[in-house]
């Protein structure tokens, strides 16, 4: 039993839809229980969202969801028609027809339950369900959408609900790479990645899969394969590492990710760590500002310390408004980017930070802030040095060699 | 109680959708029971149909209906959002949510029933229902669409089901004219038109309303107003003529219509009228060819006669294939157009035909075939003389004078 998901670029034109129909036709020769989840045609959701935004209304409405859900409605209809043309029996299903029940949070609904009876009936009838991703229906019968990473999340959630063996995410890249190949020509596809590494990479800026869908895969232990629709020979398998994989020595660093869109705020001479954090971060969280890296200096002789945190660039107005109320001297630095090293091997290997700083020092790359988790190390560097940083670290940690 | 319907050009851009929201807002100040039916944004249905057709699949499928129904889904969502922005409470409804139940004929479904309870509930709740025209749901829960004239038909059918006082069709022209103003600059808007005149005009080529929707208005006696969205001062009211209107002397001819797209077929020396008609028109009807005008000459001394009929130009291949099987000598003329005179006054006035032929003879316009109903007279003329024909008849019957 298999769930296939095709992204927007994979169904971006009639030719591409016909190509996807051929892939489904081929797989269905050997796999009888197949469910297909489809995104809107590339550019369509953006077009609809732009129309909506020009009205100047909040997106957290049933109107927004009804509008953007029409994008997937068109693509499932076209894909099912392309399969019909090939003589293949399939049934296009909107989110609500496929049994996706969500909460009522318009534009960012969460899947509560998937009633798979309809899909099971279609299988019994020899028909392939072609399901609109990204959408569902709430208890009141209103159409909802899932927000960012929605279609991938639909696919993995469906695989979990059906108890599928695997969820294949067809997209326009051949998997997850050791670094962005546009920045780092030596970057190499990673054949197998653990859920936790993938989640770290996604959270730290790699764009292949949304953390939400990886989290779901990890929770229900559904292996996710990232496959290039236009070159199906290569892929990355994201899975729970089991005994077989544990036999291998994990590399210290598996991959690098980066994210351009950030500012670094430093509050000078804060005094009472816990209280100050609460006074500052509480209101920021109320405004929906996502605080990423937090770091503080050790207190000086008078007990004062500097507190730094990073957040997305678009939140700068909210942040400055609150900092002014906070009443403490502060600095806001923009033009900065994150570069992160991720790898489960970092758990058992010491000296990663030392190696990173040595490599960066050799290249005269200044680091404004660092942060680490059990399996990642993040450095904040000037945006104009991101490429150089990634190239140096990729080479320094020999990520180009399998 | 009022049903408003806005066509594709009326909601063709965000600015226009905001304009429509302003109109609804204004009308809702005095009219509390208001239902709004909306078409897809101009060009959107054509875009979706072109995508579908490029797959080379029949349109009589659930995939086609699901696809094209997404056009109205987008426009009701946007219009409802524009009303929200104005602080006006409304609810976007897809065809199935609004209670439109149809038969199962995909791409040309007929409305069987409208369950208006949801709309009544919204009124009780102070919300204006914004309804996707052109679509419904069949007994199996599949989304269907109504085919040509669909959104107008949705609106008039809803007005009938609700028992509304009037159905207002907002479009991009100021009503029905005595002739096409692009061809005949003297053409005048007709303030009041009977259902039967409007139906004749629509059947004979005038594009303002589809005959299907006018027929429904006539059946349920729902007055239809054709209003210009961009200039609401003027309109045409289409209604059952009652005692008040009967006081007026009906003009002999109310309006002219024309249709460019036809061929005229003449079968020579047919012998047995009824049998030959059956042998020829049966198979043509099976092929879906719509025969329009039929006329035959009186039989000659041997009992032979010539049989002529007109049909749409695109059917020429089907027609010629069948004529070859029919085995009788035939002529096919293309480059012909219909010009029709319509008016309830023709019932009681003789001499219309004589006047028509006198006018056309003065202009040396040849007539290849004629046909008449109780309230219309149709002439087939060379396409290059259509403008001249219309201008001459418009002048000859003084249609420019109220």
């Amino acid at each position: 039993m298999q769930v296939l998901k095709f992204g927007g670029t994979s169904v971006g034109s009639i030719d591409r839809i016909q190509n996807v129909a051929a892939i489904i036709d081929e797989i269905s020769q050997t796999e009888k229980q197949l469910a297909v989840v489809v995104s809107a045609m590339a550019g369509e959701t953006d077009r609809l969202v732009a129309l909506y935004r020009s009205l100047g209304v909040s997106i957290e409405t049933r109107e927004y969801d009804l509008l953007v859900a029409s994008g997937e409605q068109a693509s499932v209809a076209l894909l099912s028609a392309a399969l019909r043309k090939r003589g293949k029996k399939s049934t296009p299903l909107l989110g609500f027809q496929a049994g996706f029940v969500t909460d009522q949070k318009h534009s960012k609904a969460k899947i509560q339950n998937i009633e798979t009876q309809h899909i099971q009936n279609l299988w019994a009838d020899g028909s392939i369900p072609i399901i609109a991703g990204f959408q569902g229906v709430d208890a009141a019968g209103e159409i909802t959408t899932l927000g960012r990473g929605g279609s991938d999340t639909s696919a993995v959630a469906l695989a979990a609900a059906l108890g599928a063996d695997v969820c294949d995410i067809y997209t326009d890249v051949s998997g997850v790479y050791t670094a962005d190949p546009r920045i780092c020509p030596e970057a190499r596809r990673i054949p197998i990645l653990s859920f936790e590494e993938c989640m770290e990479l996604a959270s730290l800026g790699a764009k292949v899969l949304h953390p939400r869908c990886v989290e779901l895969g990890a929770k229900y232990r559904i292996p996710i394969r990232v496959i290039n629709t236009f070159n199906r020979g290569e892929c990355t398998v994201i899975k729970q590492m089991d005994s077989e994989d544990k036999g291998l020595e994990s590399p210290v660093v598996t991959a690098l990710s980066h994210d351009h869109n950030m500012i670094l705020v430093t509050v000078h001479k804060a005094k009472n760590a816990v209280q100050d954090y609460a006074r500052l971060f509480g209101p920021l969280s109320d405004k929906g500002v996502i605080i990423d890296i937090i770091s503080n200096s050790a207190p000086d002789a008078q007990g004062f310390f500097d507190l730094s945190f990073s957040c997305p660039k678009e939140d700068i107005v909210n942040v400055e408004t609150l900092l002014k109320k906070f009443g403490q001297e502060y600095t806001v630095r923009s033009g900065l980017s994150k570069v992160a090293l991720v790898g489960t091997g970092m758990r058992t290997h010491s000296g990663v930070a030392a190696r990173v700083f040595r490599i960066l020092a050799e290249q005269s790359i200044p680091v404004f802030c660092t942060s680490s988790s059990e399996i990642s190390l993040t450095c904040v560097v000037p945006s104009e040095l991101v490429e150089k940083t990634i190239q140096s670290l990729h080479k320094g940690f020999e990520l180009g060699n399998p």
Side-chain angles (χ1 to χ4, degrees), chain A:
Chain A
M1 193 193 292
Q2 215 173 325
V3 174
L4 313 180
K5 185 260 169 178
F6 293 91
T9 49
S10 301
V11 295
S13 69
I14 289 294
D15 284 351
R16 290 184 171 188
I17 286 172
Q18 287 169 323
N19 174 46
V20 167
I23 294 173
I24 294 169
D25 194 350
E26 183 192 322
I27 296 173
S28 72
Q29 304 299 326
T30 51
E31 178 57 79
K32 293 306 164 197
Q33 291 187 316
L34 208 57
V36 180
V37 174
V38 189
S39 298
M41 292 173 78
E44 186 59 12
T45 303
D46 288 346
R47 184 182 75 86
L48 294 168
V49 171
L51 280 173
Y52 188 88
R53 288 203 184 271
S54 63
L55 286 168
V57 193
S58 150
I59 66 165
E60 287 153 27
T61 66
R62 72 180 158 225
E63 288 85 10
Y64 174 86
D65 280 350
L66 196 60
L67 176 69
V68 297
S70 71
E72 283 77 20
Q73 176 163 339
S75 57
V76 293
L78 289 168
L79 179 54
S80 184
L83 283 161
R84 179 192 287 269
K85 177 72 179 175
R86 299 181 72 87
K88 200 81 208 171
K89 195 169 170 186
S90 70
T91 304
L93 298 175
L94 302 180
F96 76 90
Q97 295 172 318
F100 281 75
V101 180
T102 73
D103 63 20
Q104 308 201 317
K105 295 225 175 72
H106 283 297
S107 82
K108 49 186 175 189
K110 285 204 158 52
I111 300 171
Q112 290 182 324
N113 179 33
I114 305 177
E115 290 153 11
T116 60
Q117 194 54 53
H118 195 161
I119 291 172
Q120 308 271 5
N121 293 346
L122 289 173
W123 281 342
D125 191 38
S127 185
I128 304 170
I130 308 293
I131 300 153
F134 183 66
Q135 58 179 251
V137 65
D138 68 16
E142 299 273 5
I143 287 167
T144 53
T145 65
L146 307 182
R148 294 189 62 187
S151 287
D152 288 347
T153 304
S154 296
V156 177
L158 181 61
L162 290 167
D165 305 314
V166 63
C167 182
D168 284 348
I169 306 283
Y170 283 80
T171 180
D172 55 357
V173 294
S174 301
V176 182
Y177 280 72
T178 51
D180 185 335
R182 288 166 300 184
I183 287 184
C184 186
E186 295 81 33
R188 191 175 46 82
R189 182 177 53 82
I190 306 167
I192 301 180
L193 199 61
S194 70
F195 283 121
E196 51 191 336
E197 285 171 320
C198 189
M199 231 179 308
E200 282 280 342
L201 282 171
S203 306
L204 294 169
K207 298 289 186 295
V208 177
L209 288 178
H210 197 271
R212 184 175 173 190
C213 113
V214 184
E215 196 180 334
L216 207 54
K219 185 168 172 192
Y220 293 96
R221 310 243 168 140
I222 306 289
I224 300 172
R225 289 193 295 205
V226 176
I227 303 175
N228 190 333
T229 310
F230 310 105
N231 176 16
R232 292 156 62 206
E234 301 180 333
C235 72
T236 292
V237 183
I238 299 145
K239 53 183 280 196
Q240 186 76 20
M241 293 296 184
D242 54 26
S243 52
E244 187 187 334
D245 307 299
K246 278 177 190 151
L248 300 163
E249 192 76 30
S250 298
V252 179
V253 174
T254 305
L256 304 174
S257 72
H258 66 282
D259 195 350
H260 278 298
N261 186 27
M262 63 169 297
I263 54 175
L264 184 70
V265 178
T266 305
V267 180
H268 302 291
K269 302 214 172 193
K271 176 86 186 181
N272 300 300
V274 179
Q275 288 94 321
D276 282 352
Y277 281 15
R279 276 176 56 215
L280 188 59
F281 292 142
L284 282 172
S285 161
D286 294 345
K287 287 277 182 191
V289 176
I290 295 169
I291 300 300
D292 186 7
I293 299 174
I294 302 175
S295 99
N296 58 262
S297 62
D300 63 14
Q302 284 77 44
F304 290 113
F305 65 97
D306 283 0
L307 165 65
S308 296
F309 62 90
S310 71
C311 66
K313 200 163 58 184
E314 55 265 27
D315 288 322
I316 193 159
V317 175
N318 278 329
V319 169
E320 295 228 44
T321 307
L322 285 165
L323 282 172
K324 275 168 195 152
K325 284 193 200 154
F326 192 67
Q328 206 73 24
E329 196 189 334
Y330 66 89
T331 316
V332 176
R333 285 190 188 84
S334 54
L336 297 178
S337 297
K338 279 191 306 190
V339 172
L341 301 89
V342 173
T344 43
M346 287 167 76
R347 279 204 189 103
T348 48
H349 282 70
S350 58
V352 173
R355 203 163 153 191
V356 167
F357 288 119
R358 197 187 65 234
I359 293 167
L360 298 184
E362 278 170 14
Q363 302 291 330
S364 308
I365 296 168
V367 177
F368 283 85
C369 187
T370 60
S371 163
S372 61
S373 79
E374 215 181 337
I375 63 162
S376 77
L377 176 68
T378 305
C379 301
V380 176
V381 300
S383 293
E384 69 273 17
L385 296 177
V386 163
E387 297 196 12
K388 194 175 176 189
T389 306
I390 287 176
Q391 288 158 1
S392 314
L393 291 172
H394 200 272
K395 191 153 180 249
F397 281 90
E398 299 176 347
L399 299 184
N401 309 333

